[in-house]
Amino acid sequence: MQEITLNFGIIFGILAITFGAFGAHLLKKYMSADLLVSFETGVRYQMYHAILLVMLSQFLNFENSYSNYATIALIVGVFLFSFSIYGLCLSSTFGKKIKILGPITPLGGLCLIIGWTLLLLAYFN
């Protein structure tokens, strides 16, 4: 699980930098200010959690089931939260909003909250 956590942290970090540059340089020409702010929120949360996952891969005891479930919840949460925001922003910008992505974003946020809560439980166990 340690290797999986590290790999996802690194991949999420690479993608956050890539998407951040993409939004700042290319999408700024096409996206409304509100959509750009939303896109940047997805990038920011993705980078926060990429850094967290890299740190957890080095410091967390993966023999504790709370630790394993926490990292899974964080990985799923980043994917659902940030990538649904990217999809909503891009689809809205180019005229074909994918409405099904709207309810996925809060589910991703809930997974992030669960992940952080499980980290707290892992600390106490």
Side-chain angles (χ1 to χ4, degrees), residues 1-10 57-58 62:
M1 192 64 181
Q2 179 181 10
E3 190 173 312
I4 291 169
T5 304
L6 178 61
N7 288 337
F8 271 99
I10 291 169
S57 75
Q58 302 305 304
F62 288 98

Side-chain angles (χ1 to χ4, degrees), residues 9 17 19 36 38 42 45 52 58 69 76-78 112 114 119 125:
I17 293 167
F19 294 157
L36 198 55
S38 293
Y45 274 70
L52 174 66
Q58 302 305 304
Y69 291 133
V76 170
V78 168
L112 293 174
I114 291 169
L119 283 177
N125 286 312

Side-chain angles (χ1 to χ4, degrees), residues 12-92:
F12 284 159
I14 291 167
L15 291 175
I17 293 167
T18 303
F19 294 157
F22 181 66
H25 298 291
L26 182 63
L27 292 179
K28 187 165 48 172
K29 298 174 188 175
Y30 303 101
M31 235 178 229
S32 70
D34 289 343
L35 286 176
L36 198 55
V37 167
S38 293
F39 192 87
E40 290 171 353
T41 298
V43 170
R44 191 171 46 254
Y45 274 70
Q46 183 175 333
M47 182 54 84
Y48 293 157
H49 289 89
I51 293 167
L52 174 66
L53 289 168
V54 170
M55 290 176 57
L56 291 176
S57 75
Q58 302 305 304
F59 299 114
L60 204 57
N61 173 8
F62 288 98
E63 293 176 11
N64 180 325
S65 63
Y66 287 118
S67 300
N68 292 323
Y69 291 133
T71 56
I72 291 168
L74 291 168
I75 290 166
V76 170
V78 168
F79 186 76
L80 293 177
F81 183 82
S82 291
F83 286 81
S84 66
I85 289 175
Y86 303 148
L88 282 167
C89 291
L90 289 170
S91 64
S92 293

Side-chain angles (χ1 to χ4, degrees), residues 93-123:
T93 298
F94 297 107
K96 296 187 179 188
K97 185 174 183 178
I98 304 171
K99 294 179 183 180
I100 189 95
L101 294 175
I104 293 174
T105 306
L107 291 176
L110 180 61
C111 287
L112 293 174
I113 292 167
I114 291 169
W116 281 95
T117 304
L118 289 169
L119 283 177
L120 180 64
L121 293 173
Y123 174 75

